[in-house]
Amino acid sequence: MGKKVLVIDLDPQGNASTGLGIPLEDRISNSYDLLLGERPAVETIQKTEFTNLFIVPSTVDLSSADIEMVSNEKRVFLLHDALKDLLVSEFNFEYVLIDCPPSLNLLTINALVAAQSVLVPLQSEFFALEGLSQLMLTVREVRQTANKDLRIEGVVLTMYDQRNNLSIQVEKDARENLGQLVFKTLIPRNVRLSEAPSFAMPINAYDPTSKGSIAYKKLALEILDKHERGN
């Protein structure tokens, strides 16, 4: 959409880094260095092959970051403080997306403290709703203690199958309980979405005409429209 975007891969699995074509040997400066203050933010940023898209890649070193942060009094503010450099850098990013691990650990809390808002992907499965409840409680706690401006950007239903009654029921429950927080766009189950990461490409480069790619473009437009309206 022409916006300048930085992805910060804060997941030790490094899926975002792999999916954007950053090989392990090129992750010498990474989000571990950023988080623990071993390098300034601007030195951890790498270009991707895609216009306007940059990344701070991840390595498995992040899996030990929790232990190393525990004794630090400012442990939940480490990412927040590390990103201050970006505000005065020449990069001028319009969006910074922090990809979190799939668990509520210190890495995720650091992301919530550093972020302005939380974009929640919700799989169209029963147990996902239980996880969402816990996340909402965590967001509320972070808002009360460390980041009063944190808000829910929205909830996006993923892996949606309109032929599946469970998907339909999860969508119904989500919209009844969360109302306008749930994006109109639904991300479908789509083979091309599953294939794209194995080719180290985002879906809009791998197969821009696939149902998955079209859905994510609609989601991006919905988010941009929301911001332009000041919501």
Side-chain angles (χ1 to χ4, degrees):
M1 306 298 175
K3 304 294 184 182
K4 195 171 185 181
V5 177
L6 172 66
V7 175
I8 298 176
D9 191 351
L10 209 62
D11 185 349
Q13 295 179 83
N15 293 340
S17 306
T18 302
L20 290 178
I22 310 296
L24 284 172
E25 60 269 21
D26 289 348
R27 303 182 198 178
I28 297 169
S29 298
N30 50 64
S31 53
Y32 175 87
D33 301 323
L34 172 68
L35 190 65
L36 296 179
E38 297 188 6
R39 290 177 186 265
V42 292
E43 290 185 12
T44 62
I45 296 168
Q46 294 188 30
K47 288 182 178 180
T48 69
E49 294 182 11
F50 310 100
T51 304
N52 283 334
L53 185 58
F54 298 75
I55 188 168
V56 177
S58 165
T59 70
V60 292
D61 290 344
L62 263 183
S63 57
S64 66
D66 265 27
I67 298 169
E68 297 179 51
M69 289 189 289
V70 164
S71 60
N72 191 318
E73 289 183 0
K74 297 188 69 177
R75 55 186 172 272
V76 301
F77 292 95
L78 293 177
L79 185 62
H80 172 273
D81 293 347
L83 293 179
K84 285 180 179 177
D85 286 354
L86 284 184
L87 298 176
V88 292
S89 76
E90 71 279 7
F91 283 101
N92 294 319
F93 292 115
E94 293 167 276
Y95 285 87
V96 177
L97 306 177
I98 307 172
D99 185 34
C100 296
S103 58
L104 288 170
N105 57 19
L106 257 180
L107 292 173
T108 308
I109 300 301
N110 262 269
L112 294 176
V113 173
Q116 293 173 310
S117 64
V118 187
L119 178 62
V120 186
L122 180 69
Q123 290 186 15
S124 302
E125 297 173 357
F126 174 74
F127 286 121
L129 287 170
E130 290 189 355
L132 178 62
S133 300
Q134 182 57 51
L135 176 62
M136 292 298 193
L137 288 173
T138 303
V139 169
R140 186 170 67 183
E141 187 175 331
V142 169
R143 189 184 290 129
Q144 291 171 347
T145 59
N147 183 1
K148 63 181 177 61
D149 297 322
L150 184 66
R151 59 186 174 82
I152 302 291
E153 182 71 30
V155 175
V156 55
L157 286 157
T158 66
M159 301 178 74
Y160 188 87
D161 185 348
Q162 61 184 5
R163 300 165 299 180
N164 187 319
N165 287 336
L166 181 57
S167 286
I168 294 169
Q169 186 60 48
V170 169
E171 180 190 6
K172 181 173 179 288
D173 290 348
R175 294 194 188 282
E176 283 180 357
N177 287 292
L178 300 169
Q180 295 299 312
L181 279 179
V182 183
F183 285 105
K184 294 175 184 175
T185 304
L186 302 169
I187 307 299
R189 284 189 181 274
N190 182 244
V191 173
R192 304 301 269 175
L193 279 176
S194 302
E195 292 173 350
S198 65
F199 290 89
M201 297 172 73
I203 186 62
N204 56 325
Y206 177 64
D207 187 352
T209 61
S210 67
K211 288 183 179 179
S213 180
I214 291 168
Y216 272 113
K217 286 176 187 173
K218 285 182 179 178
L219 177 63
L221 285 169
E222 195 173 345
I223 291 171
L224 289 174
D225 180 61
K226 183 178 180 182
H227 288 182
E228 286 171 7
R229 287 187 283 110
N231 294 338

